[in-house]
């Protein structure tokens, strides 16, 4: 696999190259670039299979690289490299984008490389660009067996755990299943409208029809599904609704 490293920090480029040389013999680093204009030239010259792309750089950010390519020219995989805040990390994950954090850990790099897939690169990049605008991401991107599904957050009623799978229950009575554990979506809570009320459920707080004390306490969602509330979550849930008591 031919690779290109794009980062404005020389030490960061050297560190990543060293890790790749020592631990990933299947990846050959062809060149390095310290800004987006140089990266564009090198991509056209070397036609890499993989680009390690820093986000925060002077001049143009890493996300702006794709402005200079037609969709059919983005035939390389991308692993974003970031030292960004928790919000930015949420944007990566909610957009289904592959990323690694600085300082780079070998295990994290290995996971990102194993997930690589050039399919849907353009869609992922567009979603990530959208999700870096404003205070919160605009959409959730789910990677399903047949591609990517883009969900508006207001269309999600709740998430249901099913072992290594998670079911998304939507307002139009449809269900989408992804091969990720529900714990991977706890990051939704940072947005304020979602809460994990039970080991099996994360709910959209805006989609609650009723909170009741029957049977130990449960919520009725807009689709009339009744979901149990864990005993250690009742107070927290009620505090979100003016401290009403069950």
């Amino acid at each position: 696999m031919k690779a290109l490293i794009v980062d404005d920090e020389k030490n960061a480029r050297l560190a990543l190259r060293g890790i790749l040389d020592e631990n990933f013999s299947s990846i050959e680093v062809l060149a390095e670039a310290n800004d987006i204009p140089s990266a564009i030239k090198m991509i056209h010259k070397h036609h890499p299979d993989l680009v390690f792309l820093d986000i925060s750089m002077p001049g143009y950010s890493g996300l702006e690289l794709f402005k200079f390519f037609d969709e059919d020219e983005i035939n390389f995989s991308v692993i974003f490299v970031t030292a960004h805040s928790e919000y930015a990390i949420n944007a990566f994950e909610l957009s289904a984008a592959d990323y690694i954090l600085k300082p780079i850990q070998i295990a994290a790099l290995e996971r990102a490389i194993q997930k690589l897939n050039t399919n849907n690169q353009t869609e992922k990049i567009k979603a990530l660009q959208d999700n870096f605008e404003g205070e919160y991401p605009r959409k959730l991107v789910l990677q399903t067996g047949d591609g990517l599904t883009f969900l508006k957050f207001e269309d999600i009623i709740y998430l249901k755990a099913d072992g290594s799978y998670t079911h998304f229950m939507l307002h139009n009575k449809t269900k989408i299943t992804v091969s990720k554990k529900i714990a991977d979506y706890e990051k939704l809570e940072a947005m304020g409208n979602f809460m994990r009320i039970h080991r099996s459920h994360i709910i959209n707080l805006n989609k609650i029809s009723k909170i009741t004390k029957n049977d130990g306490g449960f919520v009725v969602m807009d689709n009339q599904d009744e979901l149990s509330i864990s005993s250690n979550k009742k107070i927290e849930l009620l505090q979100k609704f003016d401290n009403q008591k069950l």
Side-chain angles (χ1 to χ4, degrees):
M1 185 181 294
K2 299 181 296 182
L4 174 67
I5 298 174
V6 183
D7 197 311
D8 63 303
E9 298 178 3
K10 182 178 180 180
N11 288 340
R13 298 196 305 272
L14 291 175
L16 178 53
R17 180 187 279 268
I19 292 172
L20 292 169
D21 288 345
E22 291 179 15
N23 299 278
F24 300 89
S25 58
S26 61
I27 296 178
E28 178 188 4
V29 178
L30 299 178
E32 301 174 10
N34 62 1
D35 57 27
I36 293 304
S38 300
I40 294 167
K41 294 177 182 177
M42 290 183 181
I43 289 172
H44 284 303
K45 178 181 178 180
H46 295 288
H47 304 288
D49 304 304
L50 170 62
V51 175
F52 292 96
L53 182 60
D54 187 25
I55 291 291
S56 181
M57 291 185 288
Y60 296 99
S61 77
L63 288 175
E64 292 180 283
L65 170 69
F66 308 100
K67 294 180 180 179
F68 301 94
F69 292 89
D70 295 331
E71 288 189 10
D72 59 359
E73 293 181 305
I74 306 176
N75 52 11
F76 48 86
S77 295
V78 179
I79 293 179
F80 294 96
V81 183
T82 183
H84 269 283
S85 65
E86 181 65 26
Y87 160 67
I89 295 170
N90 286 346
F92 279 111
E93 296 185 351
L94 296 176
S95 306
D98 298 318
Y99 74 97
I100 49 177
L101 297 176
K102 295 180 179 179
I104 296 170
Q105 304 294 321
I106 294 175
L109 181 56
E110 184 174 17
R111 285 194 298 271
I113 291 172
Q114 288 176 345
K115 288 169 56 181
L116 283 178
N117 189 341
T118 56
N119 293 335
N120 303 312
Q121 279 294 308
T122 303
E123 290 90 342
K124 287 183 181 181
I125 291 161
K126 285 181 178 178
L128 184 59
Q129 288 171 328
D130 282 346
N131 284 352
F132 261 103
E133 295 179 6
E135 184 178 1
Y136 294 112
R138 295 176 177 180
K139 293 182 180 181
L140 174 65
V141 183
L142 302 180
Q143 195 146 15
T144 55
D146 58 352
L148 298 178
T149 298
F150 294 75
L151 292 182
K152 294 180 180 178
F153 294 102
E154 60 266 28
D155 290 342
I156 302 170
I157 297 179
Y158 68 93
L159 288 67
K160 180 180 179 180
D162 184 9
S164 295
Y165 296 87
T166 299
H167 304 297
F168 284 77
M169 317 304 290
L170 308 181
H171 76 104
N172 57 2
K173 298 184 179 180
T174 60
K175 178 175 72 173
I176 296 176
T177 300
V178 296
S179 57
K180 295 181 73 172
K181 294 181 178 180
I182 198 169
D184 293 324
Y185 294 101
E186 286 186 339
K187 62 185 75 67
L188 288 169
E189 292 186 295
M191 298 181 61
N193 293 333
F194 289 86
M195 178 180 172
R196 189 166 187 176
I197 62 166
H198 189 272
R199 65 178 181 274
S200 297
H201 299 111
I202 295 174
I203 65 170
N204 185 338
L205 297 171
N206 293 329
K207 301 297 182 179
I208 296 175
S209 292
K210 184 179 181 181
I211 302 175
T212 178
K213 63 182 180 181
N214 295 340
D215 300 323
F218 62 88
V219 295
V220 180
M221 306 303 294
D222 281 356
N223 63 351
Q224 301 307 305
D225 286 355
E226 298 181 357
L227 310 177
S228 297
I229 309 169
S230 294
S231 57
N232 62 338
K233 292 290 186 177
K234 290 180 184 178
I235 294 177
E236 181 183 349
L237 177 62
L238 291 170
Q239 286 175 342
K240 294 180 181 294
F241 298 95
D242 298 324
N243 292 316
Q244 296 177 33
K245 295 182 178 180
L246 288 177

